[in-house]
Amino acid sequence: MIYIILSICQGRVLINTSQGEYIATYSLKELYEKFNKYNFESPHKSFIINMLHIKRIKGFDILMENGGTIPLAQKRAVGFKAKFNDFLQSTFDKI
């Protein structure tokens, strides 16, 4: 299961999964286009995260189930929180 996709230097991207970490040569934009339909969103220009693994949002920090903390950009906060609320609503509607 993929938790976090993180942009690192020189066009490389680190993908953090439950099985370990992997380096990809895709751009963050390309990965976002591929994973967006699978509940991934971008709370910050350097991150794409799996909304299934958000533990909670506290201020401008997103706390992940794996213990990580992801920054939530102020410019993206309102839109990201709205998408997360929609995700939660659609998830609970399925239960």
Side-chain angles (χ1 to χ4, degrees), residues 11-81:
R12 297 208 170 208
V13 173
L14 179 67
I15 301 175
N16 184 331
T17 73
S18 56
Q19 289 81 32
E21 294 181 346
Y22 304 91
I23 294 181
T25 54
Y26 290 103
S27 71
L28 209 57
K29 182 181 178 181
E30 291 170 319
L31 289 171
Y32 179 77
E33 290 169 1
K34 290 178 185 287
F35 286 103
N36 180 255
K37 59 187 166 199
Y38 303 109
N39 301 314
F40 282 78
E41 279 300 330
S42 179
H44 185 279
K45 67 180 180 179
S46 297
F47 293 89
I48 300 170
I49 61 173
N50 187 338
M51 290 197 290
L52 287 168
H53 297 287
I54 294 174
K55 189 172 182 179
R56 69 176 175 265
I57 299 174
K58 185 176 181 183
F60 293 104
D61 289 327
I62 301 169
L63 306 171
M64 303 296 292
E65 288 179 349
N66 69 348
T69 301
I70 305 299
L72 175 57
Q74 289 183 1
K75 290 181 179 180
R76 296 185 184 200
V78 172
F80 181 84
K81 288 178 181 179

